[in-house]
Amino acid sequence: MRYSGSILQFLPLLLLWNLTALPCSHSSVLLPTNLQTIQLPPPLPFQAPLDLPPKAQDDRRPWARFRDRLIRFLWNIPIQDQSRTPNFQPSWETFNPPSSLKARYGGDVVLRFQIQSREESTALSEAIYVLMLDVWEFTADWVDIRLSKDMVRLVLKIIRESGPCPNQASLQRAHTPLIYDLTQAILESYPPATFDEPTSPVQAGYRTFSPDLHPSTDETNIFFRNYQPLSVIVPWMRLLSSLFPTHVRMLNIGLSYEGRDIPALRVGVHPTNSEKPSAPRKTIIITGGSHAREWISTSSVNYVAYSFITAYGRSPPMTELLEKFDWIFIPTLNPDGYVYTWESDRLWRKNRQQTGIRFCKGVDLDRTFSFEWDGASWMNNPCSESFAGEAPLQGVESSRFVNWIRNETAQNHANIVAFLDFHSYSQQVLYPYSYSCTSTPPSLENLEELAIGMAKAIWLTNGRSYGVTSACEGSVLVENDDNKANTVDGNKKKTQQDKQEVWTRMESGGGSALDWFYHEIHVRYAYQIKLPDTGSYGFLLPSQNIVPTGKEALSAVKYLGEFLLRNNSVAEVVVLEGDNATESENRGGGAMKKEQAGGKESELLTESSTTGVFETAEEAVRSQDAEEEEEEKTAETNWELRRRRRRK
């Protein structure tokens, strides 16, 4: 196979490390000692008590009973009193953690490396490439990596040897363990083996999914107490579509590699007057679960969908949003990978399709889209967590998603006006572009305005701060001519004239769904929202955070809808050509033209200095504003004339 040589060449390095000790004393890291082998105590003679309460019948197979007892012993899970019969029984089967959990992750930790220079970024990127490490998350300041405790010294050695020792010494010291006991953190992310008995009459009498006029609070909704497997999510979605047929319909985006449906909900109220042809329906796409291990993204999409569905007819603002837009909620674009995280490997990221190497399955679905796909030039190794495939749209699920989107726009007359892609973690609102830090999107001003508004709405909900920047600059530092690191926030923009040098990235940013929707489908408002937290739990956010995070996501989505209602400038046609854009039929006028005209400001000022037309820069700006206002009036007039002609 074509990849066998790239793997075998690293085997001598791994063998050499076992015989090599690090000469630098500062490269040692203080970590917990290796887990000792647990030995079962000798069996004790059984003595039955005098009054033994009746035990519930256990119909499980002997192997299942032994497995559960072993798991309870290894992780000290208390056994619930079997004599107590709870008055609330769930209608689905509970999940037990995979039996291979401790063997797979028993010796792993998650380290955070602080990046302070270009040399450090390059050295760490090389170590990630050579050892094919699992990069959890990275921003402009830090990189979180999961690795075995035994591999820490090897990583530090590669970092030291990749450049001068003085340049790399700070990186060897500037790393902090985030998760010591990865096995326990994984275990706690699964639902408990048994459900707790409700503690209040409201909880005890609560019907899980009911169109009652007095629904319970989110905290008592059993569906959002824990993360749910796909075998529970799909029936739950069907139930919602049957309970609320007036504004909910279940969809199938397509089939996954292993033959599973990619489920979705279409939520919205359509006009019932069939005498008049309906105009293209404005549609907002909200997705999650592209990366299988990001369970909080799936639960957040479900929370937002449930909140929208149950608010129709009760909340006038939410009702208006459902009447004006179609909302497509896709909890997981990667059903195969999501199921695999429940049944086998909690930290699996990619999908489950076969690659060129038999034992390295899966591609990164968020790196397989066709726009600026760069899988051929970036870590083209199937064993990498960010493997983008051997060709654009090779990911089965991403290809099905693209086909469905094109069919919706061409055949079903859907006008996609916004796209939100939920991920975790790092608490950021990211806008295009992801593939490059030097390319500026044409509607940058509008993208930043809405992104800042969503971040503020989240902050007003739970007081949690979200960063706002482009998807590229949110994951890498950019250095200007004055050698000062610069990142973009909501109040500061870079000009295209600035000369910038991008530091080495930890993984590719090309082929993302964010850029594809913005550039190929011409979705003017496309965002990727990275949910909590900032590293304390990473992908293993405890279930107690499902509802608070869902409320944050709901606030951002509501602000998005209200923003589109307030600003009637959603472009009907946007044609993007490279870094320039032209816009026609723009209701409310002028936003895109204003951005294009802004790039000509320097040309106007130069003309004023040579011809004497403008005496000062202020006069040039005032004249430019007057031209923009005239263009806005013209665009609004043209739009009104077209609207009247369509009515005739």
Side-chain angles (χ1 to χ4, degrees), residues 98-144:
S99 57
S100 61
L101 178 62
K102 194 173 185 63
R104 187 187 299 270
Y105 296 114
D108 288 4
V109 294
V110 179
L111 299 182
R112 168 165 295 180
F113 291 85
Q114 301 290 339
I115 306 297
Q116 301 177 3
S117 68
R118 186 191 305 106
E119 291 78 11
E120 292 179 354
S121 178
T122 303
L124 188 57
S125 177
E126 181 178 347
I128 293 171
Y129 176 77
V130 170
L131 300 176
M132 290 180 292
L133 300 178
D134 182 10
V135 179
W136 273 31
E137 189 56 77
F138 53 95
T139 67
D141 302 315
W142 46 261
V143 180
D144 292 349

Side-chain angles (χ1 to χ4, degrees), residues 548-567:
T549 304
K551 291 180 178 179
E552 294 175 4
L554 177 61
S555 298
V557 173
K558 287 172 60 178
Y559 184 89
L560 168 66
E562 294 167 356
F563 178 89
L564 296 179
L565 288 178
R566 291 195 310 267
N567 298 271

Side-chain angles (χ1 to χ4, degrees), residues 52-238:
L52 189 65
K55 297 184 65 176
Q57 181 70 22
D58 193 346
D59 297 328
R60 295 173 300 169
R61 294 180 179 180
W63 165 248
R65 292 196 298 269
F66 172 76
R67 177 197 60 193
D68 294 345
R69 291 173 183 172
L70 181 60
I71 291 177
R72 283 195 296 266
F73 174 79
L74 292 178
W75 288 286
N76 297 322
I77 300 177
I79 301 178
Q80 190 177 15
D81 187 3
Q82 300 294 334
S83 63
R84 185 177 60 178
T85 303
N87 56 4
F88 182 85
Q89 294 292 338
S91 58
W92 54 77
E93 183 180 356
T94 59
F95 256 84
N96 290 316
S99 57
S100 61
L101 178 62
K102 194 173 185 63
R104 187 187 299 270
Y105 296 114
D108 288 4
V109 294
V110 179
L111 299 182
R112 168 165 295 180
F113 291 85
Q114 301 290 339
I115 306 297
Q116 301 177 3
S117 68
R118 186 191 305 106
E119 291 78 11
E120 292 179 354
S121 178
T122 303
L124 188 57
S125 177
E126 181 178 347
I128 293 171
Y129 176 77
V130 170
L131 300 176
M132 290 180 292
L133 300 178
D134 182 10
V135 179
W136 273 31
E137 189 56 77
F138 53 95
T139 67
D141 302 315
W142 46 261
V143 180
D144 292 349
I145 301 177
R146 176 187 66 83
L147 69 167
S148 172
K149 299 173 186 177
D150 298 333
M151 195 177 292
V152 173
R153 297 177 60 194
L154 178 59
V155 172
L156 297 178
K157 181 179 180 181
I158 293 178
I159 292 173
R160 188 185 73 253
E161 294 180 349
S162 61
C165 191
N167 293 337
Q168 313 306 329
S170 62
L171 184 60
Q172 292 189 25
R173 291 191 298 266
H175 60 271
T176 306
L178 294 181
I179 302 178
Y180 283 103
D181 193 347
L182 187 59
T183 303
Q184 184 64 27
I186 293 175
L187 180 65
E188 292 175 353
S189 67
Y190 285 93
T194 57
F195 283 84
D196 295 333
E197 182 179 358
T199 57
S200 67
V202 175
Q203 290 177 293
Y206 173 65
R207 292 179 295 174
T208 308
F209 312 113
S210 171
D212 189 7
L213 294 179
H214 302 285
S216 67
T217 61
D218 297 325
E219 287 73 12
T220 61
N221 191 328
I222 192 173
F223 185 81
F224 298 111
R225 287 189 194 174
N226 301 292
Y227 297 107
Q228 304 298 342
L230 190 66
S231 59
V232 174
I233 293 176
V234 173
W236 176 79
M237 296 171 70
R238 291 198 187 101

Side-chain angles (χ1 to χ4, degrees), residues 160-377:
R160 188 185 73 253
E161 294 180 349
S162 61
C165 191
N167 293 337
Q168 313 306 329
S170 62
L171 184 60
Q172 292 189 25
R173 291 191 298 266
H175 60 271
T176 306
L178 294 181
I179 302 178
Y180 283 103
D181 193 347
L182 187 59
T183 303
Q184 184 64 27
I186 293 175
L187 180 65
E188 292 175 353
S189 67
Y190 285 93
T194 57
F195 283 84
D196 295 333
E197 182 179 358
T199 57
S200 67
V202 175
Q203 290 177 293
Y206 173 65
R207 292 179 295 174
T208 308
F209 312 113
S210 171
D212 189 7
L213 294 179
H214 302 285
S216 67
T217 61
D218 297 325
E219 287 73 12
T220 61
N221 191 328
I222 192 173
F223 185 81
F224 298 111
R225 287 189 194 174
N226 301 292
Y227 297 107
Q228 304 298 342
L230 190 66
S231 59
V232 174
I233 293 176
V234 173
W236 176 79
M237 296 171 70
R238 291 198 187 101
L239 181 59
L240 289 178
S241 63
S242 63
L243 289 176
F244 304 94
T246 57
H247 56 286
V248 182
R249 185 159 63 94
M250 187 152 181
L251 305 175
N252 179 21
I253 303 301
L255 292 179
S256 67
Y257 175 79
E258 294 181 347
R260 295 182 176 88
D261 291 340
I262 304 176
L265 290 175
R266 184 190 297 273
V267 183
V269 181
H270 290 253
T272 57
N273 189 352
S274 59
E275 296 180 358
K276 296 182 179 180
S278 58
R281 181 74 168 173
K282 294 178 181 179
T283 304
I284 299 173
I285 309 291
I286 301 177
T287 65
S290 296
H291 296 149
R293 59 190 177 188
E294 299 172 5
W295 287 5
I296 191 63
S297 66
T298 298
S299 66
S300 296
V301 173
N302 288 332
Y303 185 92
V304 175
Y306 181 78
S307 301
F308 267 71
I309 292 170
T310 56
Y312 177 69
R314 301 171 182 169
S315 170
M318 298 282 279
T319 301
E320 183 180 11
L321 292 178
L322 294 179
E323 292 174 347
K324 298 297 183 181
F325 303 100
D326 265 2
W327 302 80
I328 307 297
F329 296 98
I330 309 175
T332 174
L333 279 172
N334 185 7
D336 296 345
Y338 188 72
V339 170
Y340 192 74
T341 60
W342 282 84
E343 296 179 352
S344 299
D345 186 354
R346 171 65 178 87
L347 297 179
W348 185 260
R349 169 187 169 101
K350 303 181 288 184
N351 73 348
R352 293 293 299 164
Q353 73 184 68
Q354 189 61 55
T355 64
I357 297 181
R358 182 177 58 84
F359 54 83
C360 292
K361 289 187 176 182
V363 299
D364 184 349
L365 293 181
D366 200 35
R367 293 291 175 261
T368 61
F369 287 83
S370 56
F371 179 68
E372 293 295 337
W373 178 85
D374 60 354
S377 59

